[in-house]
């Protein structure tokens, strides 16, 4: 089991806003390590979606946004679209484990 | 454009070793670290280790201590990850991923397409 926790799934209707939480602890997010988010479409490699808490790489729509506070981070998807159906993973670093860590992933479904 | 192209799928018997390659192009090979991340069927992502293509130095997760070897060939901009003493639990898709950092920070901004390694008797 991961030191980062995420809800197994979230869902929303097209056009709605959904949020995915990523909760850690004092040795990872709470220690000040940055949080990054990845989108993994079915059968594809992960793709960087948000880096350093709230930054979007070139080409990522501004419908995707990230935030971080205390021992948690969140990914928000506004104006939900069918092509957003994917698994989403948060990632950080854990000083106790001395390793990069990923959350277990959240499946986003568009109703 | 940045590309990471990995070698093809492998089927190995328990106890054997597998060596996966990752050829980088579209950027200065020695300017970025290359990480290895794996994903078991239906499971999440697991960081395995990292190689500095400039110096050749490596780091890995404690879980893979003694079983993982990462090397590089700067003449072909290729990194290799070898995992030994394979067991069924090592069945997974193995990804290489580029990172600006190799220590305790940073994101993975480009990923290879993945290499499926199946361990079965």
């Amino acid at each position: 089991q991961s030191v980062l926790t995420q809800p197994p799934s979230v869902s929303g209707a097209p056009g709605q806003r959904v949020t995915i939480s990523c909760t850690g602890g004092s040795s990872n997010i709470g220690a000040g390590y940055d949080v990054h988010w990845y989108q993994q479409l079915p059968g594809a490699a992960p793709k960087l979606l948000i880096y350093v808490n709230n930054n979007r790489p070139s080409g990522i729509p501004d419908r995707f946004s990230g935030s971080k506070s205390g021992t948690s981070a969140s990914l928000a998807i506004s104006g939900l679209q069918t092509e957003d159906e994917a698994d989403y993973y948060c990632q950080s670093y854990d000083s106790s484990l001395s390793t990069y860590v990923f959350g277990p992933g959240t499946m986003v479904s568009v109703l | 454009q940045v590309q990471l192209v990995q070698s093809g799928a492998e089927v190995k018997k328990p106890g054997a070793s597998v060596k996966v390659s990752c050829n980088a192009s579209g950027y200065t090979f020695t300017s970025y670290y290359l990480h290895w991340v794996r994903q078991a069927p239906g499971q999440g992502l697991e960081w395995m280790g990292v190689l500095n293509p400039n110096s050749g130095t490596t780091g890995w997760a404690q879980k893979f201590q003694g079983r993982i070897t990462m090397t590089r060939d700067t003449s072909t901009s290729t990194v290799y990850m070898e995992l030994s003493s394979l067991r069924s639990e090592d069945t997974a898709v193995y990804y290489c991923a580029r990172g600006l950092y190799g220590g305790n920070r940073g994101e993975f901004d480009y990923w290879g397409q993945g290499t499926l390694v199946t361990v079965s008797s």
Side-chain angles (χ1 to χ4, degrees):
Chain A
Q1 51 275 43
S2 176
V3 295
L4 303 179
T5 60
Q6 298 180 233
S9 63
V10 299
S11 60
Q16 282 191 330
R17 182 178 187 268
V18 297
T19 61
I20 301 170
S21 61
C22 176
T23 303
S26 59
S27 59
N28 41 72
I29 299 174
Y33 292 105
D34 294 322
V35 178
H36 320 286
W37 292 89
Y38 302 87
Q39 177 193 62
Q40 186 175 33
L41 296 170
K47 174 184 176 182
L48 180 64
L49 204 60
I50 296 288
Y51 67 98
V52 187
N53 307 318
N54 55 14
N55 296 277
R56 280 176 288 105
S58 173
I60 300 299
D62 59 6
R63 304 187 295 104
F64 295 92
S65 61
S67 64
K68 175 192 165 186
S69 178
T71 58
S72 296
S74 290
L75 172 72
I77 309 173
S78 60
L80 197 62
Q81 299 181 5
T82 55
E83 57 260 39
D84 298 333
E85 285 202 329
D87 292 323
Y88 293 81
Y89 294 90
C90 60
Q91 176 244 315
S92 186
Y93 182 85
D94 190 280
S95 58
S96 294
L97 299 174
S98 297
T99 184
Y100 293 88
V101 289
F102 290 91
T106 297
M107 180 186 301
V108 169
S109 301
V110 182
L111 304 172
Chain B
Q1 72 284 21
V2 174
Q3 280 194 304
L4 300 174
V5 179
Q6 299 181 221
S7 49
E10 303 261 15
V11 178
K12 296 292 181 181
K13 293 192 182 302
S17 298
V18 68
K19 192 171 186 178
V20 180
S21 68
C22 171
N23 177 251
S25 62
Y27 70 97
T28 302
F29 177 64
T30 52
S31 294
Y32 291 82
Y33 292 79
L34 275 162
H35 299 255
W36 290 92
V37 176
R38 75 177 185 179
Q39 185 171 37
Q43 302 300 309
L45 302 167
E46 179 179 33
W47 182 80
M48 299 178 68
V50 60
L51 176 139
N52 179 340
N54 189 40
S55 63
T57 56
T58 56
W60 52 82
Q62 182 64 29
K63 175 177 181 177
F64 301 101
Q65 171 77 31
R67 289 210 299 146
I68 189 170
T69 304
M70 291 165 284
T71 56
R72 93 289 194 206
D73 181 347
T74 55
S75 69
T76 60
S77 299
T78 301
V79 297
Y80 301 90
M81 187 282 298
E82 184 171 21
L83 191 63
S84 62
S85 302
L86 290 170
R87 36 219 189 218
S88 59
E89 311 89 88
D90 294 317
T91 294
V93 175
Y94 290 75
Y95 294 102
C96 60
R98 192 184 81 161
L100 189 56
Y101 305 100
N104 59 0
R105 58 183 293 202
E107 69 280 4
F108 311 128
D109 61 354
Y110 288 91
W111 295 63
Q113 84 275 20
T115 297
L116 174 62
V117 175
T118 303
V119 182
S120 173
S121 55

